[in-house]
């Protein structure tokens, strides 16, 4: 899957849906285990730290770039 597909899946996950206005902080792909890690925060957070949410998405199919 592409990075955009992984981000989309993260936003629609149960953790991602808790974020009202997502700000993507970082996206990493671990080739060894085939998992994307998306770190995001809620732009509407009222806390000073704007707690980050980390969502892990299993890569289900390779893109042309990964083949």
């Amino acid at each position: 899957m592409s990075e955009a597909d992984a981000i989309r899946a993260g936003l629609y996950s149960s953790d991602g849906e808790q974020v009202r206005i997502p700000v993507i902080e970082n996206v990493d792909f671990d080739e060894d285990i085939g998992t994307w890690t998306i770190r995001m925060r809620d732009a509407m957070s009222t806390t000073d730290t704007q707690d980050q949410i980390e969502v892990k998405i299993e890569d289900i199919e390779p893109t042309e770039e990964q083949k």
Side-chain angles (χ1 to χ4, degrees):
M1 89 176 36
S2 69
E3 184 176 283
D5 291 334
I7 291 171
R8 190 173 300 108
L11 291 172
Y12 288 113
S13 72
S14 60
D15 288 334
E17 286 183 349
Q18 296 175 26
V19 178
R20 290 179 286 171
I21 299 178
V23 176
I24 306 299
E25 295 285 329
N26 193 22
V27 179
D28 287 315
F29 180 66
D30 186 334
E31 290 183 38
D32 295 334
I33 59 174
T35 301
W36 291 89
T37 302
I38 297 106
R39 287 181 201 86
M40 63 182 106
R41 63 181 171 80
D42 190 341
M44 296 299 290
S45 176
T46 57
T47 65
D48 291 337
T49 59
Q50 292 184 331
D51 297 330
Q52 281 192 353
I53 296 170
E54 186 172 283
V55 179
K56 295 201 180 279
I57 303 295
E58 185 177 338
D59 195 315
I60 53 174
E61 62 183 61
T63 62
E64 290 299 316
E65 298 164 354
Q66 295 171 331
K67 290 182 181 177

